[in-house]
Amino acid sequence: MTETMPLVEMRDMSISFGGVQAVDGVSVSLFPGEVLGLLGHNGAGKSTLIKMLSGAYRADGGRIFVNGAEADISSPRDAKTYGIETIYQTLALADNIDAAANLFLGREIITPWGTLDDAAMEAATRKVMHRLNPNFQKFDAPVRALSGGQRQSVAIARAIHFNAKILIMDEPTAALGPQETKQVADLILQLKREGIGIFLISHDIHDVFDLADRVAVMKNGKLVGTAPTDAVSKDDVLGMIIIGKCPPGATPGPGAASEAELAATGAPALH
Amino acid sequence: MSHDAHGQPAAAASVGLPSRKTGVLQALEVDTRLLGMLGALLLIWVGFDLATGGQFITPRNLFNLSVQTASVAVMATGMVLVIVTRNIDLSVGSLLGVLAMAMGAIQAELLPQIWGLDHPLTWAATLLVGMALGAMFGALQGGIVAYLGVPAFIVTLGGFLVWRGGAWWVTEGRTVAPLDSTFNLMGGGIDGAIGATASWAVGAVVSVYIVVSTVAARHRRRRFSFPVKPLWAELCVAGVLIAAVLGFVTVMNAYPHPERRVAIDLVDTLRAEQATGGLSAETLALVDRMPAELQTLVADPTGGNRRALIRGLSDWPELPRPAHGIPIPVLIVAGVALVMHFLATRTRFGRYVFAIGGNPEAAQLAGVNTKRVILSVFVLMGVLCAISAAIAAARLQAAGNDLGTLDELRVIAAAVIGGTALSGGFGTVAGAVLGALVMQSLQSGMATIGIQTALQSMIIGAVLVLAVWIDTLYQKTRK
Ligand SMILES: Nc1ncnc2c1ncn2[C@@H]1O[C@H](COP(=O)(O)OP(=O)(O)OP(=O)(O)O)[C@@H](O)[C@H]1O
Ligand SMILES: [Mg+2]
């Protein structure tokens, strides 16, 4: 085994929807203070893989270990008890309630009389939102009235407010402006320094190279391979994403294309 | 500790406070939709008052109107939550029917066998069993919707038929009457109103509550140095609310008991006091003020004298008549609405109800047990149907198996006219109660000016569509 124990280890994860094998025998691990970039074409199975970790889907097969101990994750609530927080690609916000209500949804602050402490929740929301998006003002408007980027800030705020140990970010900056994107990048580096492990799903390969320590590439539900970002080039990773070609320096997975398959696509063979 | 400790200093007060709002309506922070409904209601009332030559806005009519609204209003507060979660309940009218029959049978046939007729606990035991049955029936429907995934429309359409059939089954179609006399107080009427003094007491308590909750809400926001409404706006809103409450009490206290009823009561008092050794000082003073021909009848108020005395007293203009005061069913509506408003806005349960309406998937991903919340909403609806059933049966002083027919449509219409979005996620309890009042005002008003029943339903149907259309326009301009 490696010198440190992985924060999370997913072994041989599989799930299918009807006839579609969305994730097929994928194993990845994430270490404390590590950012793992999860890459792949549209429909490769990235979101589905991390949804099994966040409790949104129940895996058909595979095991999940958190800090070396097998974790039984069958609902989003279970995942949260393991310190797993998720920013979903769809943001998963309730449009009709305000930012604070969304941030604390399922974990409301309660007064001694058992009623909602909206003022306390708004105060906490103002603090965490200020860190992500200092210009944000619409605390008493339903989330529907927010811009795409503002909504994304709310989703991020919800994930970082509750002492995450493992953070899953599915395209967290897709709708953000340059300033907010920079803020999220800074945030990721800061959380990483605190020893939090982060799954970062993004289509922006430059972002991934700037932030991630390793990349894992998926294709058609299978893992093509994983590689430390300093051992491969961006072109190598593009090759992994597009044709499933595993470069030297990467650890191939079950989804890596064989020489014969590569020859059939007309790509240069592995040397 | 959360991560925000690393970011900004913990001075929430300095963080992103919005600038003060401008504009009177915005400063008041009143719900413009609610305001619009109040305007519409006022228009309807004034319109009918003009059309009936001043017969509509009278204490007597407003009293009856509020009593007639009660049953639908209670159910409408629950329908709001059902619709907010993107569901519907078509079974409430039938549920009311079966629960009314069950409560009728319990109080008139079952309990008297245990502890005799007119036992002081009969009404409470009946109501409790009715509410428990309502909760069970609601749980059955809610369970099928939430856990088996059958659409609420279908489940409650089935319930609509099943419960109506059940209502017949309880007594095989026989109407249950008479009901327990205490139970009947829930239906309003002369005895089912609390009188002038108690009404003022209720008005005072509610006014104090309005002041206290305003101060408390202000205090909560102050604690975090959030902006608060300007004081004048706060005073204005609280003042209008208190004026409305006290105004309502004044109107209900301006409706005296009918002459004949007071005359009968007085004659009964006379006889009782004569039988137990002489009239009380109070009664004597009253007799002293009577015209001479009545005074002679007082000496022996039996047989023909009794009838003559009652007739004479009824025509005596100085006969002191006590006021009705607030009807008990209206107190029930107020209590139910307060509890439901509190549930909807101040508790976790209410927060989840709205979150599910906004985005069921998001609520589930946030760890909300959405199935349990939906089950609970239907349970609550069942309990409210039992309360409505008690009010409706008590008002008729009988339980018949067709009670509540078409109520599902009235209840849904009340919620929708009250601003509940059928697409889910939005609705208020106050709006639904107002919606019920609007519906009943239209119906009573049209009956008073003699519009045929067939035409009445056509007009109500058209108004429903019109109201929702106006609401759609309002929603568009607001965004
Ligand atoms: N709930 C579902 N029901 C049926 N099929 C699904 C479901 N969720 C995902 N899939 C299928 O599983 C496959 C993987 O989808 P997934 O969302 O994981 O892709 P992705 O890698 O996140 O893509 P993107 O980059 O577009 O977000 C796709 O073929 C998709 O159609
Ligand atoms: Mg995805």
Side-chain angles (χ1 to χ4, degrees):
Chain A
M1 281 297 290
T2 37
E3 55 288 359
T4 42
M5 192 195 293
L7 200 52
V8 191
E9 189 185 351
M10 287 193 274
R11 264 190 222 159
D12 218 13
M13 303 302 292
S14 298
I15 189 171
S16 61
F17 300 105
V20 184
Q21 188 74 36
V23 174
D24 188 1
V26 173
S27 302
V28 283
S29 43
L30 177 71
F31 292 87
E34 183 186 44
V35 177
L36 177 69
L38 195 52
L39 296 165
H41 56 82
N42 290 125
K46 309 178 294 288
S47 297
T48 307
L49 176 68
I50 57 95
K51 277 186 175 173
M52 290 188 277
L53 180 60
S54 72
Y57 292 153
R58 279 201 89 147
D60 293 340
R63 298 160 80 187
I64 297 173
F65 297 85
V66 176
N67 288 320
E70 181 149 16
D72 178 22
I73 296 175
S74 57
S75 74
R77 200 171 269 278
D78 291 344
K80 284 171 213 260
T81 62
Y82 287 107
I84 301 171
E85 293 288 338
T86 313
I87 299 154
Y88 293 97
Q89 191 171 10
T90 54
L91 300 186
L93 300 172
D95 262 354
N96 55 334
I97 55 181
D98 63 20
N102 267 291
L103 201 142
F104 283 93
L105 189 57
R107 290 180 284 200
E108 290 76 9
I109 301 179
I110 295 295
T111 64
W113 299 279
T115 59
L116 295 174
D117 195 341
D118 280 321
M121 290 192 269
E122 186 180 328
T125 306
R126 281 176 189 271
K127 264 201 268 180
V128 61
M129 284 301 287
H130 185 68
R131 196 174 159 199
L132 291 169
N133 192 342
N135 300 322
F136 185 78
Q137 298 281 320
K138 291 188 167 173
F139 288 98
D140 50 5
V143 163
R144 178 192 300 121
L146 308 188
S147 75
Q150 289 170 333
R151 293 163 54 89
Q152 203 139 27
S153 305
V154 173
I156 296 173
R158 174 166 67 185
I160 63 169
H161 182 70
F162 293 98
N163 300 318
K165 295 191 185 62
I166 299 147
L167 193 57
I168 300 168
M169 304 176 111
D170 196 347
E171 313 239 7
T173 57
L176 297 187
Q179 189 198 349
E180 289 80 7
T181 303
K182 170 85 170 53
Q183 228 129 10
V184 171
D186 290 345
L187 177 78
I188 289 176
L189 294 176
Q190 187 193 326
L191 295 172
K192 175 179 151 70
R193 278 196 298 277
E194 290 166 19
I196 291 164
I198 299 172
F199 283 102
L200 177 63
I201 301 177
S202 174
H203 284 289
D204 187 334
I205 198 158
H206 305 290
D207 261 4
V208 174
F209 263 76
D210 287 344
L211 295 170
D213 303 290
R214 282 191 303 144
V215 293
V217 178
M218 288 179 72
K219 188 168 188 295
N220 299 330
K222 293 198 174 89
L223 186 69
V224 172
T226 57
T229 41
D230 48 17
V232 289
S233 69
K234 287 179 188 170
D235 283 341
D236 287 340
V237 173
L238 280 175
M240 290 170 85
I241 296 172
I242 297 165
I243 53 173
K245 173 172 174 272
C246 219
T251 318
S258 65
E259 302 243 359
E261 284 167 337
L262 289 173
T265 61
L270 288 173
H271 43 108
Chain B
M1 261 310 290
S2 55
H3 297 304
D4 42 42
H6 306 284
Q8 294 301 312
S14 67
V15 176
L17 291 183
S19 52
R20 245 340 314 144
K21 290 173 180 163
T22 47
V24 174
L25 266 187
Q26 270 172 326
L28 287 169
E29 287 179 31
V30 286
D31 188 341
T32 43
R33 181 203 303 264
L34 221 56
L35 221 55
M37 283 189 56
L38 279 172
L41 188 64
L42 199 69
L43 219 65
I44 292 169
W45 283 12
V46 170
F48 280 126
D49 200 54
L50 293 177
T52 55
Q55 293 287 296
F56 198 81
I57 308 183
T58 61
R60 181 187 133 91
N61 191 51
L62 294 181
F63 181 95
N64 289 333
L65 193 61
S66 68
V67 171
Q68 287 159 358
T69 306
S71 165
V72 165
V74 165
M75 291 189 283
T77 64
M79 190 61 81
V80 172
L81 298 194
V82 172
I83 297 179
V84 164
T85 58
R86 305 186 176 187
N87 286 300
I88 193 80
D89 194 340
L90 299 173
S91 74
V92 293
S94 300
L95 210 46
L96 184 151
V98 71
L99 292 169
M101 288 310 293
M103 284 191 278
I106 289 167
Q107 65 186 289
E109 284 159 25
L110 193 68
L111 289 176
Q113 288 177 18
I114 300 172
W115 55 32
L117 279 170
D118 271 336
H119 189 278
L121 284 181
T122 296
W123 75 273
T126 303
L127 188 60
L128 276 179
V129 174
M131 284 163 68
L133 283 176
M136 268 171 49
F137 296 164
L140 180 63
Q141 297 192 128
I144 296 174
V145 173
Y147 291 92
L148 304 186
V150 184
F153 187 95
I154 300 301
V155 173
T156 59
L157 185 61
F160 167 85
L161 298 168
V162 169
W163 306 128
R164 186 56 70 194
W168 184 87
W169 214 261
V170 176
T171 59
E172 304 208 307
R174 195 162 32 81
T175 295
V176 183
L179 302 182
D180 178 74
S181 58
T182 319
F183 185 88
N184 280 340
L185 299 184
M186 282 187 276
I190 296 172
D191 296 315
I194 60 174
T197 318
S199 297
W200 284 120
V202 168
V205 168
V206 174
S207 302
V208 169
Y209 171 80
I210 290 168
V211 171
V212 169
S213 63
T214 305
V215 172
R218 217 177 152 77
H219 179 76
R220 269 203 302 275
R221 291 190 66 79
R222 274 272 160 78
R223 187 156 57 100
F224 293 94
S225 320
F226 291 163
V228 288
K229 274 194 250 184
L231 197 62
W232 66 263
E234 207 97 75
L235 288 175
C236 222
V237 172
V240 167
L241 283 176
I242 291 175
V245 170
L246 298 183
F248 177 70
V249 172
T250 309
V251 172
M252 293 300 115
N253 281 350
Y255 177 33
H257 287 180
E259 292 87 350
R260 196 178 146 74
R261 164 64 187 255
V262 179
I264 294 173
D265 283 351
L266 181 56
V267 173
D268 288 346
T269 312
L270 282 170
R271 287 192 57 184
E273 288 183 2
Q274 282 164 345
T276 55
L279 300 181
S280 68
E282 200 187 334
T283 319
L284 265 178
L286 188 58
V287 173
D288 274 349
R289 284 175 25 224
M290 288 180 193
E293 69 271 22
L294 290 183
Q295 283 176 346
T296 53
L297 291 170
V298 166
D300 178 25
T302 51
N305 274 1
R306 177 186 152 87
R307 253 168 284 135
L309 186 56
I310 290 173
R311 216 177 308 119
L313 283 171
S314 298
D315 294 338
W316 179 38
E318 282 173 56
L319 180 73
R321 290 192 287 150
H324 279 78
I326 305 174
I328 288 173
V330 171
L331 283 182
I332 297 175
V333 172
V336 164
L338 209 67
V339 169
M340 293 298 290
H341 176 75
F342 176 84
L343 270 182
T345 58
R346 302 243 36 93
T347 68
R348 270 205 168 119
F349 168 72
R351 176 65 42 90
Y352 296 166
V353 164
F354 282 85
I356 289 171
N359 186 345
E361 198 201 346
Q364 210 213 330
L365 290 176
V368 173
N369 190 339
T370 53
K371 292 177 179 169
R372 199 169 62 201
V373 172
I374 289 181
L375 172 69
S376 310
V377 167
F378 277 94
V379 169
L380 207 54
M381 189 72 244
V383 172
L384 293 174
C385 283
I387 297 175
S388 288
I391 294 174
R395 193 158 83 85
L396 299 178
Q397 315 207 337
N401 62 57
D402 62 345
L403 207 59
T405 304
L406 286 186
D407 268 8
E408 52 285 328
L409 301 182
R410 294 196 186 98
V411 170
I412 292 169
V416 169
I417 288 183
T420 308
L422 273 174
S423 51
F426 190 86
T428 61
V429 169
V433 173
L434 264 181
L437 191 55
V438 167
M439 294 272 298
Q440 189 58 49
S441 300
L442 278 175
Q443 205 151 14
S444 307
M446 289 192 292
T448 319
I449 57 176
I451 294 180
Q452 288 168 331
T453 323
L455 194 54
Q456 281 182 30
S457 20
M458 290 169 78
I459 292 176
I460 295 222
V463 166
L464 176 63
V465 175
L466 187 75
V468 174
W469 178 60
I470 292 174
D471 197 52
T472 318
L473 290 183
Y474 166 80
Q475 294 282 357
K476 275 189 195 143
T477 55
R478 208 172 48 149
K479 269 177 225 146

